[in-house]
Structures are given as C-alpha cells and as structure tokens.
Amino acid sequence: MDARANTLCSRCREIDLSPVIFREDHPDCWYAGGYLKEFYSDFTLGSLDSLFDKASTCDFCKMLCETLEEFMDADDLIQKRHDRSGVYFCGLSWSEHARASIRADVSYFQPPVEAMFRMDIDIGYQGNLGATRRTATAELRNMFQPAPWPVPQLKADGEPSQFWKTLRNGRLRSPICEPDILRTWLSKCESSHSMCWWTGPKPSLRLRLFDIRFRCVRQFQISSDNTVRYVALSYVWGSQAQRLTLSRANHKVLSKKGAINLDDISRTISDAAIVVDMLGERYLWVDALCILQDDQDDLAEQIPVMGQIYVRSLVTIMAAASIDSNSGLPGVSTQARSAQRISKPLNGGVLLRTCRPKDIPNLEPKWEDVSSSKQKDYLKSSKWDTRGWTFQEKVLSRRCLYFMQEQLYWECQRASWCEETCLEASPETGPEYRFSWEVPSLNFFSDREFPIGKKMAGEDVIWAFSRLIEEYTSRTLTRKQDTYRAFSGLVHILEDLTGAKIFQGLHVSEFSRSLCWYNGESSSLRSGNEFPTWSWLAWTGRSTLTSSGPQNHIPLIVCYRVCFNEFGEQELVPISHDSRRKDGLDTPSMRDLAINVRSKLRDDFHIVFWAEVALLDVHGVRYDADAELEPSKNEYRPIYNVYPSGHGRIGVQEFIRIRIEAYDEFADRNHPRKVELLMISWKDGIARREAEAFFDVHEWTEAKPQQKLIVMG
C-alpha cells in the first residue's frame, strides 16, 4: 500500500508534480504555445471549509491551511470559510517565476521548455443562486516550488543527466550562509559571462581598501593597467553612529597591520569582511573605512568617483535586509535564517515553501486580490531599497549579491540565481536564467534595459537618464546636501560612456525638453539655495521627464548659462542649440539685463533665454495626465501637471512657452496642438520655476503672449 495514503487525502493524492519536475521526459507536460496543460494550471482541492476539515488527517491540506492562516487576515479567512451566500473554493495553479535567456526562435510570450514555474494558492467563489461557474477572487503568489524526492542539497553535483532533474527545481538551503554556493556563483560568472566585466573607461583612481587578511586599511593607485580585485559593500548607515570610521586622527594607525579588530567595527561591515573571505578574496571597499569621514577634501575627491568604484568592483554585497550599519548580514555571523518547510511526498516529488520574509516592514498586501497586477516587491519594501545612496550602487554594480532575510540572491548582467532553487546551468548543460516580473526586481532595469557598459546615443541616453531620475527621486536622503552627491557617480559614468553632458541634473543636448520635467502634488521646494528651481535637484519628491522627444515637440527657446570668462567677467554661453526659432531674439547679452539683476547672478546657476510669456487664469489643478482641455470664456486652463508650490495659490499665474507639439504625417489635423509651458513666479527680477503644464495652442494665442527676456534661477 502507498505510504502516502496514510498522510494525504484522496484529492491531494491526485496532485502529480512529475510533469513539472521532469518536464523533458514527460509526455503530458507541454502543448502548443509552450504553457503547462490546463489541468496543471488550475487544480481545485475543494471548498475552503472542507480544506480545514481535512487538515487533521491530510498533511498537505494542513500545510495549505497553515499558509492561509499566516498570510490571510484572520477575520477575512473566517468569513470566507462560513459564507452563507456561496462557497469559496481553494485551488492550485502554476505561474512563471523565471525564464531562460530568450532564444531567437522563441517568442517572449511563449516561454520555452526551460521556464521555471512556482505554485500559487487561488481562492475562487461560487454563489448559491444557480451559478455553476466559479470566479477567482484572490491569490497568493509563488508560495511553493516543486522538487524531486529526496530533495537535493544546495549544491547540485553529478552528471549532466542528473543535473537536469534538479535544474529549475527547489533544493534545500542551509540556515547559515555556505561559502561553496558563493564561490560557485562567482566562478560561473567570471568564467562564462564576458558581459559582466567592466569594459568602459577606467580612469586612474586613488583608492583605499580594507585588507581583511592583514586587518588594516591600505591605499592603492588603480588604472586600466594596474587593477586590484576587491568587493564593495552597499548598506544603510542608519541613525546610530558607527563603531569605527576612518578619520584624519586615526588613518595612520588604521593603516598598520592588525589595527582593525572585526569586533570593533559595525556588524554589517564585519559580516561583509567574512563574506569576502568566503569568496576567496582579500579586499573590501566600504565608505566608512575607505573615505576620511571628517576631511572635506577627501570627500570631494572620493564621492564623485564612487560610480567608478562600484562599476569596477568584482561583486557588490547588498545588505538589503539591514536597517542600519549594525544589522549584520543574515546567515553570516549569529543571525540564522529560518528553516524551509517541506510537504510530505506527493506524486513525482515534494513542494517546498518559498522564502517569504515576514519581518520586512510595509510588506502589504500579503494577500492579493486578482485585480491587483502583482504582489508588492519585498525588495522594494526594504529600507535599503528606499535610500538615495544605494540606488547608484545597485545600478552600477556588475555583479550583485543580495542578502535578504531568508536567503541570498545573485544578479549579474546575464543571470539570476538564488539559494532555494537550482538555476546555475553551465553552457554545457543549459541556458542561463533571469527572474521574471513576479519576483523581486533585483536590478532596477528589468532584463538590463540600461546595460551599464553598452555604448548608447541619442534618444536612448535621454530615455535611460529620465528613468534614472524618476527612480532616484522617489528615494529618501537624510541630508539635503547629498541630493546631487548620491547621484553624481551615475552622472559621471553616463557622461564617460555616451559623451553626454549633464548640467545641474539636466541633459544638455535637448535642454528645453529637459526643463519640462514634472513632479507630484506632494513635491516642494527644498530649503536653501543650493540648486536652481528649474532643476529637479531643487525639489523633493518624484520627478519625471516628459517622454515626448524632438519628433513630437519643437523646442522654442535657446538657453544660455551665466559663467565667468578668463578675465573674471560674466558672460552668457549657449547651453545647447536645439531651437528652430528664426525671429532673431535668440542671442541675449549681459547688457540686456538690468543692473540689479546682474549683481545677483551666480556662475552655472542662472539661465537666460527669450520666451513668449502670458498670464493664464488657473481655475483648478488637474493631476491626471489624460485630462482633456475644457476651455470656457476668459478662462485658460492648463491640461495637467500644474502643481503650485505655494499652498493653494491658484488664480492668475504667469506662464512661459517652452515647446510646441509637432505635426507629422500621421497626426490628426483636427486635434488641437498643445504648447508645453512652465509656470513661474518672480523675485527681484529673477524667475522661479513653479510647475509644468500643457495648453491648447489656439487658447495660448488668444492670451496675447509677449516676448520677454527670462532670467531663471
């Protein structure tokens, strides 16, 4: 008699995992289109109430009930179990969790046989009023992964034929971090992934590194001809002071052999040093020990080259589960991780509970309505992934080793790996894998849409830069003076790779377009006067660059920046030549400016340009980008993106025209063209940017705009 009969109910004994685990050898696994057969996409276990009734005698029903109790709201679960208007059913389905590198002959929407699937728990509803169809109401995503029985260990060994039986399936992970898997991942990437090596510019750098073998800080001069292998650390400082940092007072002492005891430094850094040793490496770069924290000259030298530091590191340790520098790395020193939960053997194998970290804040909703697009990314729910400094560290690192609460993730330019699933296929045994949209987006650009190191030009550069700004400005910084510092490494790398020029955070080649960024209603002007108001750097909150390029909009201004020439005299220098105006007003000079205005101008801060100006009566703020123009007599309403910073200051405002919508051969000539505007205010003869808006071109003409020389700061 089958031993499973004593531990599983009759319905659970019908669950067959073999088509998923041994898919290449199973005749019922695939059908035309490349997806699992319908039977394996929707397997109903029965009513929710009966599932709990069977939990006392069926091991798998018990495991499902425990999972539902863990992730569902208790009151909601009780209501669904005893609902009198109908019956809630519990079912299982498969969803794609990772896919192999896409082949030329396979459509993205038809996953190849190498795709990896995980099991979801679905809740469906059937009413009592004669309805025969069940309607899905909620689902819990990626809860289980299949594995052969007995379950393989963390490292898959054996012949390729045996390896294929574990590839894409679950495996047992250790509660502590195992050096073998770290070295395996690094070795496979170094030997097989040529794209993971930095091939961009390598300027000479003065670099300090923590020597974990001799326990001291050493200084190197690295260049393209003289390199040093080192591991970098990305982590959250937190509000507490670090135990030990490099300073002018102690840097000579810390450069001596044996000067640094791991017990004397912050726990996250000491754990990172242990991981460096596990990888078989010697040097660690971490800001606390490699930059003089109380030396402004050293900070001014090192912070601008942090882009080069991270892009040239062998691998970057991402302390993604940490909330401060003393949190440590889970599974490294004393912070053990929870054990995996394994089902009793089913037909063809077992199911392993996937890693679901419970102690990361703001992980909502745990339970997901069907109408929701996807479960919230728990990496983005971590404090580490909300900080401004960690953004460029994540984007620029060629290889990332993420320490999450329950397991490790590896992400490089070619592959995604994790401890709980066997995905490390060699070129001889199969394709590389990359996580799909339903799991943590470990790198900012999915599938490396902005591959650092690839030569880009034109619209691709502007698109990538706007994506970087949008994501970066959604993060937080403790100190406002770090607004540009924490982004400067990315700027310098982008300039080196593409030849682009960035001025006060805006792309120079299409400067008028770059001026037309917009932000949300919660945005406000930063205190102080460090950045000009026309730059997103001066504002808090998420900023987005308009997506309309030169093929859609014609620039109508030419901007000049104020700078000092070699004789110490102020002059106006064109920022870019992206205007098509022919009215002869494009060349302002310092003589055109009032004397009291000239005395207030700052080098590389103020911009000057001719523009059409008009007064418009703003009768309401429209926040939705799809809002239609609704003109009425003597009213001029911007279409959207008008976010005044002056706390409800709605009424007659001054606007300047920046760009106009272009007509192409496919344009609807009956659709009114729009002009893109900036709303401004004035102080002592200098304009201040308040908001961005669109407006009907005919309504703009009726507002009787006048040419005006604008000085904006």
Side-chain angles (χ1 to χ4, degrees), residues 166-186:
T166 59
L167 184 63
R168 301 179 306 269
N169 295 316
R171 62 186 173 192
L172 293 178
R173 58 173 176 78
S174 170
I176 62 173
C177 181
E178 294 286 353
D180 285 346
I181 193 65
L182 301 181
R183 293 178 183 178
T184 297
W185 288 344
L186 180 58

Side-chain angles (χ1 to χ4, degrees), residues 203-379:
S204 179
L205 297 178
R206 182 178 67 87
L207 190 67
R208 299 186 190 91
L209 296 171
F210 176 24
D211 186 335
I212 65 166
R213 183 183 303 172
F214 289 155
R215 297 289 196 269
C216 62
V217 176
R218 298 181 58 185
Q219 184 168 295
F220 298 87
Q221 192 72 31
I222 64 172
S223 64
S224 57
D225 300 323
N226 181 28
T227 61
V228 178
R229 289 170 64 97
Y230 63 92
V231 177
L233 174 64
S234 174
Y235 68 112
V236 177
W237 269 62
S239 57
Q240 297 181 355
Q242 294 219 30
R243 298 178 186 175
L244 179 66
T245 60
L246 192 69
S247 66
R248 288 177 293 183
N250 66 13
H251 76 279
K252 291 184 178 180
V253 174
L254 297 185
S255 66
K256 296 180 180 179
K257 184 177 178 180
I260 300 176
N261 189 316
L262 292 187
D263 293 333
D264 296 333
I265 58 180
S266 297
R267 185 175 168 188
T268 301
I269 299 176
S270 63
D271 281 1
I274 296 172
V275 173
V276 172
D277 187 55
M278 289 180 178
L279 288 166
E281 300 299 326
R282 180 173 177 178
Y283 296 108
L284 171 69
W285 187 92
V286 54
D287 53 1
L289 296 178
C290 299
I291 300 177
L292 294 172
Q293 298 298 314
D294 60 350
D295 190 311
Q296 294 302 315
D297 291 337
D298 199 59
L299 288 166
E301 176 190 355
Q302 293 293 305
I303 288 177
V305 299
M306 285 181 67
Q308 282 288 330
I309 291 171
Y310 279 96
V311 83
R312 289 158 74 168
S313 67
L314 180 66
V315 59
T316 299
I317 298 169
M318 306 293 189
S322 67
I323 60 173
D324 56 38
S325 60
N326 289 309
S327 297
L329 301 177
V332 175
S333 53
T334 59
Q335 194 175 353
R337 304 170 299 184
S338 60
Q340 283 170 294
R341 296 174 62 183
I342 307 173
S343 74
K344 294 292 184 180
L346 304 167
N347 278 328
V350 297
L351 288 172
L352 305 180
R353 265 284 301 272
T354 55
C355 287
R356 311 283 297 188
K358 296 178 61 179
D359 54 353
I360 292 180
N362 302 322
L363 182 56
E364 295 293 344
K366 292 179 180 178
W367 185 259
E368 178 183 74
D369 290 336
V370 168
S371 59
S372 179
S373 60
K374 64 178 181 179
Q375 188 155 335
K376 190 170 183 179
D377 185 338
Y378 59 76
L379 177 65

Side-chain angles (χ1 to χ4, degrees), residues 78-132:
I78 293 174
Q79 185 273 326
K80 283 181 166 59
R81 286 184 58 186
H82 306 294
D83 192 281
R84 294 182 179 275
S85 64
V87 178
Y88 283 90
F89 287 81
C90 182
L92 304 174
S93 62
W94 298 102
S95 62
E96 183 185 344
H97 187 71
R99 61 173 63 241
S101 300
I102 303 301
R103 301 190 299 257
D105 59 336
V106 177
S107 166
Y108 183 85
F109 297 101
Q110 294 180 334
V113 70
E114 295 89 354
M116 181 188 70
F117 287 84
R118 287 189 173 177
M119 182 175 281
D120 307 332
I121 302 176
D122 302 321
I123 298 295
Y125 175 77
Q126 178 175 318
N128 289 329
L129 301 177
T132 58

